Amino acid sequence: MNKLISGLIAFTALVFTSCNNNEKSSHENHSGNHSVDSPDSHATTNQSPQPQKVAVAFKTTDPAISASVNKILGSYLAIKNALASDNAETAAVAAKSLSEILATIDKSRLSAEQKSAFDKSEQGLSEHSVQIAANAGEIKLQRNHFILLSNAAYELAKNFGGGETLYHMHCPMANNNQGALWISESIEIKNPYFGSEMLTCGSVEEQIQ
């Protein structure tokens, strides 16, 4: 019996050792309403010095499309930065801008393959930018929509680029501890899902260029 108990203790210790201690603390303190006693005590940065490099899928794109995609992702990044700064009103303004840019896209300039890829991103970008714009006073709701907006922006960036090097970031505590991604123009982690509550929580997963 003692050997069995010792074996279970050893196994449990191994599992917990493999997890990031700061992330464990954050999981315990950010479940439910994500309340904390001290934001700094839960901040965790798992930044890889050399994230995996991802090449953009469509190397040749109509210049007008490229310019529009750059504007779309520019507005997305403005939303991201606003949420990281806990600024719901600025996020709403940037989301409205993103929605307006989407409405100006001339899809006739896209090849069939490009249009298929763009359409898949457009649906998420359109739906969730509208919701973020409409909820300037509800930053928690904005952040929920930002999860799905980011998924769409990530696919858009991988397919068409953004006119600059972009980084795919990941927060393990977002989305009720299921994890969520975001795209950043900087390798420095500034978490849009928690803002000042846990600004540096996350990891750099990929470099898109």
Side-chain angles (χ1 to χ4, degrees):
M1 179 64 70
N2 289 336
K3 289 183 178 180
L4 176 61
I5 293 173
S6 298
L8 289 173
I9 292 173
F11 176 76
T12 302
L14 178 62
V15 170
F16 279 93
T17 301
S18 67
C19 298
N20 180 287
N21 290 330
N22 286 330
E23 286 186 9
K24 175 177 177 292
S25 175
S26 297
H27 275 289
E28 294 170 349
N29 289 281
H30 290 280
S31 60
N33 61 4
H34 306 295
S35 61
V36 293
D37 296 324
S38 172
D40 291 339
S41 66
H42 302 298
T44 165
T45 303
N46 304 314
Q47 181 169 311
S48 171
Q50 293 183 327
Q52 178 183 351
K53 292 185 179 181
V54 176
V56 173
F58 300 116
K59 295 296 185 182
T60 304
T61 307
D62 183 281
I65 293 296
S66 294
S68 294
V69 169
N70 292 351
K71 290 178 181 178
I72 289 169
L73 290 173
S75 293
Y76 165 85
L77 293 171
I79 298 170
K80 181 266 298 183
N81 290 331
L83 293 177
S85 298
D86 301 318
N87 193 326
E89 291 186 3
T90 299
V93 171
K96 182 181 179 182
S97 175
L98 194 161
S99 184
E100 291 172 347
I101 295 166
L102 280 172
T104 69
I105 301 292
D106 181 3
K107 294 185 184 180
S108 67
R109 295 176 177 270
L110 293 162
S111 68
E113 186 179 7
Q114 289 172 342
K115 184 178 183 301
S116 177
F118 183 85
D119 286 346
K120 289 178 182 177
S121 293
E122 182 184 28
Q123 182 176 356
L125 290 168
S126 178
E127 178 181 349
H128 298 290
S129 62
V130 167
Q131 291 297 325
I132 292 171
N135 288 281
E138 300 288 342
I139 196 166
K140 182 176 180 179
L141 184 56
Q142 287 180 322
R143 282 170 168 154
N144 287 339
H145 283 287
F146 187 72
I147 293 170
L148 297 174
L149 184 76
S150 293
N151 290 341
Y154 173 57
E155 293 301 324
L156 186 72
K158 284 199 304 178
N159 283 317
F160 297 95
E164 60 181 319
T165 298
L166 296 172
Y167 298 92
H168 161 202
M169 310 286 203
H170 182 262
C171 173
M173 271 70 74
N175 195 20
N176 293 320
N177 293 328
Q178 295 181 54
L181 66 83
W182 78 92
I183 304 300
S184 176
E185 74 281 20
S186 169
I187 199 169
E188 181 182 4
I189 295 174
K190 292 186 178 180
N191 191 313
Y193 296 113
F194 293 102
S196 59
E197 183 181 0
M198 199 163 55
L199 188 62
T200 60
C201 175
S203 59
V204 183
E205 301 294 316
E206 296 173 327
Q207 179 178 318
I208 305 169
Q209 56 185 150

